[in-house]
Amino acid sequence: MSEPGALRMRVDRLVREVAKFGVVGGLGVLVNLAVFNLVRHVTDLPVVRASIIATVVAILFNYVGFRYFTYRDRDKSGRTKEMALFLLFSVVGMVIENGVLYTATYGFGWDGPLQSNFFKFFGIGVATLFRFWSYRTWVFKALPAKEAVQTAESFLEQAPRQATRKQPDRV
């Protein structure tokens, strides 16, 4: 394959990955904000504690979405390690997300409902950049090239056999 063709394929794969990450992440943001506002209105918990609860719920939601939708084609051999790394990077993302909210609330006194939601959303955005990089780099690793080639070769070997079975005998 030519170099421009290979580059185009890589860019196309990255665009699809970003789109899938965005779908799961967007739904995760909705879950995060809904739980945050529900906890804030139903309980008397401080803003950042309510945010941490919401973030934990969103992390659980996102793991399922990333594993079974965004990165379903990635290596599944080390599920325990994958989960541990996902939780580690998710906690770092949670610190980033809630650090922004904490700074706005307790550093600047911006703790009204609209301000809390704005800085919660802004913190999610900043943390998402870190999460995308860390999840794709460390958690949901691509299959090694050797395994991908073997999978493609086995597919190509099966295709001619199936094509010859489907052709009728010529008389």
Side-chain angles (χ1 to χ4, degrees):
M1 181 176 293
S2 69
E3 194 171 311
L7 177 61
R8 179 165 174 83
M9 282 181 54
R10 290 182 67 195
V11 169
D12 288 346
R13 275 196 309 262
L14 180 61
V15 167
R16 281 193 303 274
E17 179 181 344
V18 169
K20 288 179 177 182
F21 188 91
V23 167
V24 173
L27 292 172
V29 168
L30 293 177
V31 167
N32 197 333
L33 290 172
V35 172
F36 172 66
N37 283 292
L38 180 68
V39 171
R40 285 272 303 182
H41 289 77
V42 173
T43 70
D44 291 329
L45 287 175
V47 174
V48 176
R49 287 188 189 160
S51 180
I52 290 171
I53 291 168
T55 304
V56 168
V57 172
I59 286 170
L60 297 172
F61 175 86
N62 286 345
Y63 178 77
V64 172
F66 290 141
R67 167 42 53 214
Y68 297 103
F69 177 66
T70 305
Y71 298 112
R72 69 177 174 247
D73 60 334
R74 299 289 177 98
D75 186 13
K76 296 176 182 82
S77 61
R79 198 54 69 93
T80 303
K81 180 180 177 185
E82 173 186 288
M83 290 177 98
L85 287 171
F86 182 84
L87 287 175
L88 171 71
F89 291 120
S90 293
V91 167
V92 172
M94 183 169 62
V95 169
I96 293 168
E97 174 185 328
N98 291 293
V100 170
L101 182 62
Y102 180 89
T103 302
T105 302
Y106 299 111
F108 294 101
W110 297 328
D111 62 350
L114 185 59
Q115 293 164 325
S116 293
N117 277 287
F118 174 81
F119 287 105
K120 172 80 172 155
F121 185 76
F122 183 74
I124 290 170
V126 173
T128 296
L129 296 173
F130 168 77
R131 288 177 176 131
F132 178 74
W133 169 80
S134 63
Y135 293 165
R136 80 181 307 266
T137 304
W138 300 101
V139 181
F140 302 106
K141 292 184 178 184
L143 287 170
K146 181 181 176 183
E147 290 180 32
V149 169
Q150 288 173 344
T151 302
E153 286 175 347
S154 68
F155 174 76
L156 291 173
E157 288 173 1
Q158 292 174 0
R161 281 188 233 142
Q162 291 173 351
T164 56
R165 281 188 232 145
K166 292 179 183 176
Q167 294 178 354
D169 292 331
R170 293 186 180 165
V171 181

